[in-house]
Amino acid sequence: MANLFDGIRAQLEGKGKTIVLPEGEDVRILEAAVRLQQEGIVKPVLLGNEAEVKKAAEEGGFDIREIELIEPASASYFAELTEKFVERRGGKATLEQAQEQLKDVNYFGTMLIYTGRVDGLVSGAAHSTADTVRPALQIIKTKPGISKTSGAFIMMKGEERLIFADCAITVNPSAKELAEIAVESTKTAKAFGIDPRVAMLSFSTKGSAVTEETEKVVEAAKIAQEMAPELAIDGEFQFDAAYVPSVAAKKAPDSVIKGDANVFIFPTLDAGNIGYKLTERLGGYEAIGPILQGLNGPVNDLSRGCSADDVYKLSLITAAQSL
């Protein structure tokens, strides 16, 4: 575990990356911000009501005098951001609506990414996933060729690192969307030192069952292979055939994946969410994420049950995504 974040810190050293934390009144956010500021590798920016943030910091014993604190409506460039927001929304918001919307810390923070004032955003300690993701989809939007964002987890145990996706966002992705998730997940893997070998998961291995559900995964694997022919991507696989070499030799002897997959693409959000939590709780893996994929700028969502350490780690990951 330490090796992963040692590597991330080494990548970020001297890069001057800035991460905005919209939930400045939350003590977990304050603790993580102070840690980031003291470490000096990633610069934190806090958002919130100035008086309330300072009161929370004082009560928690956190010295935030050296940390930039912005109250959205009082920012000197608030008017500039509202105009840019109206322009970005293409007539879907009036100036008056924009002024009101940008008082929301997540919208304001996302506009800071869009205008290049910060490199990434971490929110969700006190907001829902929708509150964090919606501004990103409206303002930053997805990369060209990507129809939807997705959520990946880094699953850590000892020296092993695996990527699971989508475990957070898309309920029932189409074959094309699954293929996009697979290719984007390889980029996440590479960002964290994993040489990606991708398995498209199902309850069938190489035609052992044929249903509408399994055929979707087969089609997704074909599309992903066409999108990125240089990558090791195959499917459909049951998990054991993707992960255990002896099972792979029996069930999929001709596959490029030889029971050595390290990026696992789940067919639905049901499967992905259940799968990562089983792996975490029963398998003893640490789940880092969700890391949002496919956006034009890094925005990541915390669990509302997160710790200050989770905030700190996700801030480093978000900064690394911006490299």
Side-chain angles (χ1 to χ4, degrees):
M1 187 64 205
N3 290 341
L4 173 65
F5 286 96
D6 286 347
I8 291 173
R9 281 187 286 265
Q11 289 179 46
L12 291 170
E13 188 76 49
K15 299 297 194 301
K17 294 298 182 179
T18 301
I19 297 298
V20 64
L21 302 167
E23 299 159 318
E25 295 95 340
D26 192 294
V27 293
R28 296 164 296 175
I29 300 295
L30 291 169
E31 183 178 339
V34 168
R35 183 177 175 186
L36 290 166
Q37 183 71 20
Q38 290 174 343
E39 195 172 63
I41 295 173
V42 171
K43 177 187 174 185
V45 174
L46 294 169
L47 301 184
N49 179 281
E50 185 174 351
E52 291 180 9
V53 174
K54 288 181 176 178
K55 180 182 177 183
E58 184 178 353
E59 290 176 350
F62 302 114
D63 183 358
I64 62 169
R65 288 175 294 179
E66 300 300 317
I67 300 176
E68 185 176 2
L69 168 58
I70 304 170
E71 186 168 339
S74 301
S76 60
Y77 43 81
F78 186 78
E80 176 194 339
L81 293 192
T82 58
E83 291 173 4
K84 288 185 181 294
F85 180 77
V86 171
E87 179 184 324
R88 183 61 167 167
R89 294 294 288 139
K92 293 180 181 178
T94 65
L95 187 60
E96 292 75 18
Q97 289 170 332
Q99 289 168 343
E100 194 60 34
Q101 205 145 25
L102 289 193
K103 292 176 185 175
D104 179 290
V105 288
N106 285 314
Y107 273 92
F108 185 87
T110 306
M111 283 300 296
L112 294 183
I113 301 175
Y114 178 63
T115 55
R117 288 178 166 85
V118 301
D119 297 295
L121 177 148
V122 173
S123 188
H127 291 88
S128 69
T129 295
D131 289 336
T132 301
V133 175
R134 189 182 299 110
L137 294 177
Q138 291 180 357
I139 298 167
I140 298 173
K141 304 186 179 181
T142 54
K143 297 173 185 175
I146 300 297
S147 57
K148 288 188 177 181
T149 189
S150 57
F153 280 83
I154 304 176
M155 307 300 296
M156 301 277 299
K157 187 176 182 180
E159 295 300 311
E160 188 174 30
R161 303 175 191 176
L162 309 173
I163 300 290
F164 284 12
D166 179 358
C167 305
I169 303 293
T170 307
V171 175
N172 188 21
S174 66
K176 183 176 184 298
E177 288 165 351
L178 269 183
E180 291 172 2
I181 291 166
V183 174
E184 285 301 302
S185 296
T186 67
K187 298 174 185 176
T188 299
K190 289 176 181 178
F192 300 109
I194 300 168
D195 183 18
R197 299 184 61 76
V198 184
M200 313 291 287
L201 297 179
S202 179
F203 58 82
S204 167
T205 298
K206 294 297 180 179
S208 61
V210 180
T211 69
E212 183 179 341
E213 291 81 6
T214 64
E215 288 299 290
K216 179 181 82 168
V217 178
V218 172
E219 180 64 18
K222 290 178 182 176
I223 296 170
Q225 289 161 356
E226 292 168 1
M227 290 173 66
E230 74 283 3
L231 296 173
I233 301 175
D234 202 6
E236 88 282 19
F237 290 112
Q238 293 159 294
F239 185 85
D240 56 353
Y243 187 68
V244 181
S246 60
V247 178
K250 294 175 181 177
K251 290 188 174 183
D254 299 325
S255 175
V256 67
I257 300 297
K258 305 292 184 183
D260 56 356
N262 51 24
V263 177
F264 298 91
I265 307 303
F266 292 84
T268 65
L269 184 56
D270 270 344
N273 194 269
I274 292 167
Y276 101 80
K277 290 185 176 179
L278 280 171
T279 305
E280 178 184 31
R281 300 297 180 177
L282 296 182
Y285 284 71
E286 181 168 3
I288 311 279
I291 299 164
L292 298 189
Q293 305 179 138
L295 292 168
N296 278 312
V299 170
N300 282 314
D301 178 43
L302 294 157
S303 163
R304 276 174 280 183
C306 67
S307 66
D309 191 53
D310 293 331
V311 180
Y312 166 79
K313 288 174 179 175
L314 195 56
S315 296
L316 290 180
I317 286 171
T318 306
Q321 285 181 285
S322 73
L323 291 172

